[in-house]
Amino acid sequence: MSVYTFDSHEQEAEYKRLCLIQDSFDDKSQTHLLKAGLKPGMHCLEVGLGAGSLADWIYKQVGAEGSLLGVDLNCQYIKEHAEYAFFEGDVLALQTSKTFDLIHLRYVLVHNRSADEIIQKLFSLLKPGGKIVVEEPDFTLAKWMDAKDLDACRRVSSAVCKMFEDKRLKPRYGSIVHLALRDAGFKVDEQKSYLHLCSGGEDVAEMMGMSARALQEEYTHSGVCSSEDVKAYIDACHDSESLGVYYGTIAVTATKVKESEEEVTYRQDDGVCLASTDAEILGCFTLMKELRTGLREDGFLETIRIQMEEGYQLYYLKKESEIVCLAGCRIVSNLAWGKHLYIDDLVSRKKVRSLGYGDEMME
């Protein structure tokens, strides 16, 4: 596991920062966990305990018949009150014969060069049919709308990304974590994304201001921003008149499929879905060929996978279990338009093109 980005952060300040994270995100994490099937009697693993509030909640949910094991490099904030078992150290060093029904991580993998190894480790610790819920950030989604020094704030947001890249980490990890889960053998069930649009003084803004104060030297060392820029950014984080998307969070729920289960060709429920498994991608071929008439099925999957490594995502809309619309897109940046969503492919099935499915997909 990589050295934690905030290891050098003063203890009291780091505790306050972790509390802001849990105040901002525990409700969403609880929703994802309950939807994944969290219930009494389950055996759960929480990786990255932070200040401990979510682990406390999980422990209460599973009750006396269940169990919770927490893992963190530094358990100092939960040692005095934890009622559940915990392991202080690298999750890759965890030795246990126990397997788990449900595993949860929040803001862990983005800090680790060994993220793929961690996912493989967690795959081995999960029971067949068990669920994993992963919540990770994408800092490349930051966008400032209003601040006293907009340019300074934008430079600092760029410096955050550059800092991760300099550490050989991926600032957009949240947007590609589903690919890592799929490669490890998981079946991706659901993805949810949130853009943290905040005025100064809100929890996420305050947390990012504290992060900037703690990591000022690393931000300026990136060469993208100055110490004066960081000060302006911190001021904006406190200023109720400022407004910005600080970053995005992507939550992914995935299943360790039982060996006896047949691979599902694609989801049976109607609505817009992200194509992530090989079967889902191949299920899109026939409709994509209506748009790209020269496509060959034997190279389709490989081409889409290569594009996904470069940021491409393929969505499909189902009505009555039939794929009726596709959209292939990516987030890109250029001098002309700044950061924007670029639509590579958009097609509706010919026989339903007057029913507004393209508009539904774009929404």
Side-chain angles (χ1 to χ4, degrees), residues 181-195:
L181 290 167
R182 183 212 70 217
D183 290 344
F186 287 100
K187 174 184 172 291
V188 175
D189 301 319
E190 182 180 61
Q191 281 184 285
K192 293 288 186 181
S193 58
Y194 309 94
L195 289 178

Side-chain angles (χ1 to χ4, degrees), residues 105 109-110 115-116 119 132-138 170 172-184 186 188 190-192 249-254 274 276 313:
L105 308 83
L109 299 174
V110 71
D116 289 346
I119 291 174
I132 186 169
V133 178
V134 183
E135 299 174 85
E136 292 292 337
D138 184 339
K170 299 174 181 177
R172 59 188 289 267
Y173 191 81
S175 291
I176 59 174
V177 64
H178 66 287
L179 300 177
L181 290 167
R182 183 212 70 217
D183 290 344
F186 287 100
V188 175
E190 182 180 61
Q191 281 184 285
K192 293 288 186 181
T249 296
I250 295 83
V252 183
T253 301
L274 176 66
S276 55
Q313 294 196 359

Side-chain angles (χ1 to χ4, degrees), residues 325-346:
C325 187
L326 295 176
C329 58
R330 67 189 77 225
I331 294 172
V332 296
S333 297
N334 58 32
L335 292 175
W337 299 100
K339 184 177 292 183
H340 61 282
L341 182 69
Y342 184 83
I343 307 297
D344 294 78
D345 315 293
L346 181 62

